[in-house]
């Protein structure tokens, strides 16, 4: 055996150099054929993702602008709603006052009509009472004449007639 440490011979060195050159060529060829397209694909993907992020940021800023615009419109709608409610309340109070006034006027008219009817009823009752008194007086006169009575008998007839008519007739 040789006194060599690794056992390197010229053939092994030539094979190693050829293998290294082949690997270097293969690396360059694969780099050109595979790594460059992969790098381009990765770069395209980065660009696509960046454009998506930019669009998302733009959409978010648009959304924020729309939200602030919406909030402004919403506060304006709230103010309009409050104004409409105040207007409706004012109209309702006016209508309420109008209805109360009308009802009060109608109540007054009903009261006046009732008072007139009561007065008419009182006068009718008075007329009936007068007629009844005339009839009673006629009946008494007829009894006085028919009986040719004395004073005691006359007082008795007056008492009987008053009892027939009742005390309430004279008190009204």
């Amino acid at each position: 055996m040789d006194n060599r440490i690794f056992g390197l011979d010229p053939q092994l060195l030539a094979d190693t150099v050829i293998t290294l050159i082949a690997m270097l060529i293969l690396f360059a060829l694969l780099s050109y054929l595979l790594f460059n397209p992969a790098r381009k694909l990765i770069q395209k993907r980065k660009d696509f993702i960046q454009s998506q992020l930019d669009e998302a940021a733009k959409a978010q800023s648009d959304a924020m602008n729309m939200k602030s615009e919406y909030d402004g419109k919403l506060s304006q709608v709230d103010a309009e709603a409050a104004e409409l409610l105040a207007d409706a309340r004012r109209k309702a109070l006016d209508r309420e006052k109008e209805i109360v006034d009308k009802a009060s006027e109608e109540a007054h008219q009903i009261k006046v009509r009732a008072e007139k009817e009561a007065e008419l009823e009182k006068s009718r009752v008075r007329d009936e009472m007068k007629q009844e008194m005339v009839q009673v007086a006629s009946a008494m006169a007829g009894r006085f004449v028919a009986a040719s009575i004395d004073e005691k008998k006359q007082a008795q007839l007056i008492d009987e007639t008053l009892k027939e008519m009742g005390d309430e007739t004279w008190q009204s």
Side-chain angles (χ1 to χ4, degrees), residues 62-93:
D62 288 346
M64 288 297 189
N65 290 339
M66 289 176 79
K67 183 182 182 295
S68 64
E69 184 179 320
Y70 171 75
D71 288 341
K73 286 183 179 180
L74 188 61
S75 65
Q76 184 180 11
V77 165
D78 287 342
E80 287 178 11
E83 184 179 326
L84 286 175
L85 284 174
D87 188 43
R89 284 186 188 113
R90 183 184 49 77
K91 286 181 181 178
L93 288 174

Side-chain angles (χ1 to χ4, degrees), residues 117-129:
E117 288 177 6
E119 282 297 319
L120 289 174
E121 185 67 21
K122 280 182 183 178
S123 67
R124 187 184 60 80
V125 168
R126 281 187 197 129
D127 290 342
E128 287 177 3
M129 190 167 48

Side-chain angles (χ1 to χ4, degrees), residues 131-149:
Q131 289 175 358
E132 195 172 313
M133 286 174 66
V134 168
Q135 289 174 355
V136 167
S138 301
M140 281 178 61
R143 285 185 185 172
F144 282 132
V145 170
S148 310
I149 51 175

Side-chain angles (χ1 to χ4, degrees), residues 95-107:
R95 182 71 176 138
E96 176 189 16
K97 185 176 186 272
E98 181 181 312
I99 289 172
V100 167
D101 290 344
K102 186 176 180 181
S104 179
E105 179 65 29
E106 286 179 8

